[in-house]
Amino acid sequence: MPDGNEEIRPRILIVEDDEGVRASEEKLLSQSGFEPSAVADGPAALELLENESFDLVVLDLDLKDGIDGLEVCRRIKGRPQLAWVPIMFVTGHVSSEVVTKVFEAGGDEFLSKPYKPDELIVRARLLIRKGREERWLIERARTLAEKIAERDDELDDLRRFAQDIVGSLPSALLVLDAERNILFANAPLLDAVQAERRDVIGKKLSAFVKPQSLDGPLGRALDAAAQTGQPSRLRRMRDFLAVRNDRVSDLTVTAIDYAGVRQVLVVMEDVTDQARADEAVARERGKLNDIVNAMNAALCLIDAGHNILWKNRTFGLWFGDTFGQPGLPAFLSKLEREKGWMDAVFARGNVEQMAWSTFTVHGHRRHFLNILAPIKPAPGRPVDQALVLTQDVTESETRVEQLSLLRELSEHLQQTLDAERLNHVILLCVTAGHALGFNRAFLFKRNKEEGTLEAQMAVGPGSREEAFRVWGEISSHGHTLHDLLRKLEKPPPKESMPLFPLIKDLRYAIEDSTEIIPRTALEKKPQVIFDAAHDSRVSENFRRTFGCQEFVAVPMIAKGSVVGVLLADNLYSGRALTDDHVKLLTLFASQAAMAIENADTYAELQMRMSQLRSAQDQIVHSEKLAAVGKMATHVAHEIRNPLSTIGGFARAILKRPDKADRVTRNANVIVEEATRLENMLKGVMDFSRPALPVLKQIDLNAVAEKAVRNHEELFRSQRIVADLDLDRSLPELALDEGQMLQVLQNLIRNAVDSMGQGGALVVKTERQGDHAVLSVTDTGSGIPSDVQDRVFSPFITTKPEGTGLGLAVTKKIVDDHGGRIDFKSKQGSGTTFFIHLPLLRLPGAREAMPPAEGGGRGERVAGS
């Protein structure tokens, strides 16, 4: 070949109808030192080849518009001026039939998708070099033949020259006439047929080639060259020679003219090593494809635009058009929503993981894990492709999710005490795809009094159409189990549910073992039915009612006793029952049974409490009547003496109205007795009809000071020393000032009465935790021990003139303030009453002011 050809950028024509692939191949070839041109269809390619020269055609086998790749190849090879342009087919569908068609059409090479960039570049260079060599050889041979025809005198020299050239070629050459007689054979050909030249020249080709080969592609190629001049390229020809030969050859069959006579030139190139290498690669690729397709993972090759360039069979199954599978939109939407992985994989070359989930049209949740890895590019080029391995982790994630949900549901069930809502929650958990995921669920509850199992509730779609509509809504809206449980805060009436009419009248005797529901309760173990039509445990009545072939019934056992039976099936989706489903349902049934037991106990407790409240109301009513009677008796007793005194002195005045001093004395006695009656009646009224406190923000210390100040005259007259020990840090309290003054007045007067003539009294305030404590301490006689446990009861008094209502009223006022009162007392040593009041603040109340400097405890208010 001439020396200048290596410096010229080889021209390559790309014929590809996929714009993305076409641009990618054009860019790759351009960066690799070629001068590519690209067209989208066969007619455009043929037109361009007529006007321009190319060293190689890269041709898509599966052209969609116009003529296909094989026809384009035939037309190129059928034009003498283009017959020597090498053609490399690119296809994603490789089979022996496709390979045969490619080489029969005249193709020189094929490349299967997906391929590595280096593979395309290396094969392109080999074909271009080989094509240039063949073109140069043929053109040179043709030139020589023409010169021989023009110059007979140089024929011998030129023939020897041609023979020398041909003899130097490693390829076997054979020249035939129209009758397939051998006119010329070079040394490599003689070696191939294992014969001498004299035994070959002039003989029929059939003497050295098997008949079946001449009847096949080789024979058709020889006829085409001899009759029409159409060249052919036969790839990977095996076992076509008569002698045993394990070599593999590529045959080029073309027409040549010698002195105006058409002859056929056959070039046989030994490609055994290359063929074996290709076969090894194909075998390994087949093994890899088998492994990739057999593995339980989806694989795909994507570019930065989320275009899927290649995928394995599992990917097509999961994310194709298969009914009940997630589908391609779910896969792509996850990639498009998560933008972070793009930069990590394509910009930084990191391997990323992405967990995601989606709902199928059956309402079942599928969990996946994507592992995204960059495909290493050629040196100096950015990453433009990534491999995505998608694993279905639904089983493990669902198991974890179900166990977690069962724990949460157990807590939710234990908190649900309303029986109707509890039934809804139980069956919802059985049918929700987030939990156990059955299509339908039925609850039968045990009636202990009647010894029956009675249908309580049914949850699930009423028909297949409704089922797919509901599952579609769940898939599109992504409702969680908590969303569904929130909707049950006010559950719909069970009569309005589509499945309830099926079971509303069902009731089974608990001892009837001929029916599957009571049988489950009697045996206390799950009953799994796979073929209801032929299973002896299933009655004909059950088959007609429920219409399911496969179902599971589990007992609900609490504290060793059956409280009900759960029945579940997958009538609409047809999903098979597994041991895991049965185990989970059994575990859940145990939790549900405890919840039903709790709800029944609560209902019984509510009934008992209602009965107790009724009985209590009757007792209170009786006690009130008794208290009224006691009060009436006491009032009558207390009124009798003052009324007698008043009557006696009034009659004395009437007898001697003229005695002024006597009338005055008698009138004073009457006033004293009337005052006594008024005080007694006031105490009765305070106790029987106490007013509710009107709360305001009040300073407790100020109330204590006012109460002590109001009794200064009394303290002086009784020779009592009164002290105030006040905590000035106390905040203002929510109090009724008038009622609290009444409390202190009652306690102070009781203290004064207990001390007789002389003593000490201390009123103290302090803070204890979240309470303020007000105490009144005296040094009086103390409260007798036999009275201490009844000191706050009405009409209990130790004073001759007392009504026995002061401390009862005091306790009622303290109780109304949310506080409590208690005391400690020792006879002969004195008594201390403690009032504990909560540190309540009304809205908008101000914080307590700090005590003034010098203020504090130990203030002597009055005494003598």
Side-chain angles (χ1 to χ4, degrees), residues 101-149:
K101 289 182 179 180
V102 165
F103 291 134
E104 285 180 358
D108 299 272
E109 182 62 279
F110 71 93
L111 189 62
S112 60
K113 298 178 183 177
Y115 54 80
K116 296 180 179 179
D118 290 341
E119 189 177 3
L120 174 62
I121 301 306
V122 170
R123 293 200 181 190
R125 285 177 176 153
L126 288 174
L127 282 176
I128 289 172
R129 184 178 183 87
K130 181 180 176 183
R132 285 179 173 178
E133 289 177 352
E134 290 182 0
R135 179 181 296 180
W136 182 82
L137 287 173
I138 299 304
E139 288 177 353
R140 185 62 176 165
R142 185 176 294 154
T143 300
L144 291 174
E146 291 173 354
K147 287 183 177 180
I148 291 171

Side-chain angles (χ1 to χ4, degrees), residues 612-648:
L612 285 175
R613 279 194 296 268
S614 178
Q616 184 181 25
D617 291 342
Q618 294 177 2
I619 292 171
V620 169
H621 181 67
S622 300
E623 288 181 345
K624 284 182 177 179
L625 292 177
V628 170
K630 184 177 180 181
M631 182 182 292
T633 302
H634 177 80
V635 170
H637 174 75
E638 293 296 327
I639 286 177
R640 183 184 299 116
N641 290 335
L643 285 179
S644 297
T645 302
I646 291 172

